[in-house]
Amino acid sequence: MIELKNLVKRYGDHLAVDHLNLTIEDGRIYGFLGPNGAGKSTTMNLMTGYLGPTEGQILVDGHDILEEPEEAKRSIGYLPELPPLYLEMTVEEYLDFCARLKQVPRQKREEQKRRVMARVQIEAVAGRLIKNLSKGYRQRVGLAQALLGDPKTLILDEPTVGLDPKQIIEIRQLIRELGREHTVILSSHILSEVQAVCDQILILHHGKLLASDTPEHLEETLRGTGRLEITAKCSTAQAREILRPVAGVTASESRDNADGTSTLTLDTAGGDDPREALFFAFARKETALLEMHTNSASLEQVFLEMTSDEPSRPAAAGRGEEETK
């Protein structure tokens, strides 16, 4: 488990991480999501001990990362956005070098190297120079070094950046498989990527935590007011009159069509589905309701709106709220 307590990181006058409180539980895949400059990489560098916080505390399995760095870092495998690869080494030489740096016991090094290479499927390139590998294979080598030492938690900063679509699919599948044995924390500014692999989404913006929840419930929560589009066999004036007594429904847009029908876009407040009430409201007036369908904004659109203008917004509470303190 990793705990961030009132974490602050400043670079001069710039506040990169703003009083962040967060608990990462074991056995899940977490996704840091946010636009460029949101504080994702800085937070990850703080969690791994590569940077020191301006204020606050980081505990990794109960060990303070500043006071007990060796014990804390032993639980973490880290893949930066640019993997720290030595291009003139072969894959096997590099992994042997990393195993020594991580103080893997001599008698376990060979077995661990073989195991991590098999895990990320790079056995076929073990003897090749890293400089001759594709971007996708280099990323896999970076993942292999992060796995050395059997860390409980893997922290992956933009693990698919710069990869082609096939490589992205392969790395996402690999991350899902690693999530069965490790706690995984990854960062991305691509919503679909985080949705594809993560159990929990953490949205950061201007160093603040805006939301923490499961992808499914976060989608429901962030969409807020739903939208419904209807087409009725009457004028817009008649349709608005029929809608008047229906609770929680407001017509925001409307138009009269050339065939004598009208189309209205309805904002629906509250958690109840209004479609049944709408059907009976038009039936009572003996007016045909020809079409009715939801027209919700996508989660991508809501996310962009959420992180575009306001530098600080309250965290969206949901089923995942217990992950934040």
Side-chain angles (χ1 to χ4, degrees), residues 186-234:
L186 64 91
S187 72
S188 181
H189 59 278
I190 304 171
L191 178 60
S192 59
E193 176 151 291
V194 175
Q195 282 183 298
V197 298
C198 296
D199 304 314
Q200 187 90 3
I201 293 179
L202 310 167
I203 297 180
L204 293 178
H205 191 41
H206 294 295
K208 284 184 175 292
L209 183 67
L210 297 188
S212 171
D213 214 328
T214 63
E216 298 79 16
H217 193 245
L218 187 59
E219 186 169 1
E220 296 172 9
T221 302
L222 293 183
R223 278 182 175 170
T225 301
R227 307 197 86 188
L228 192 67
E229 189 172 284
I230 65 171
T231 299
K233 198 171 183 179
C234 63

Side-chain angles (χ1 to χ4, degrees), residues 10-27:
R10 291 188 178 89
Y11 297 104
D13 294 332
H14 176 62
L15 186 59
V17 178
D18 188 359
H19 299 88
L20 187 61
N21 291 281
L22 180 65
T23 299
I24 302 294
E25 301 288 351
D26 293 337

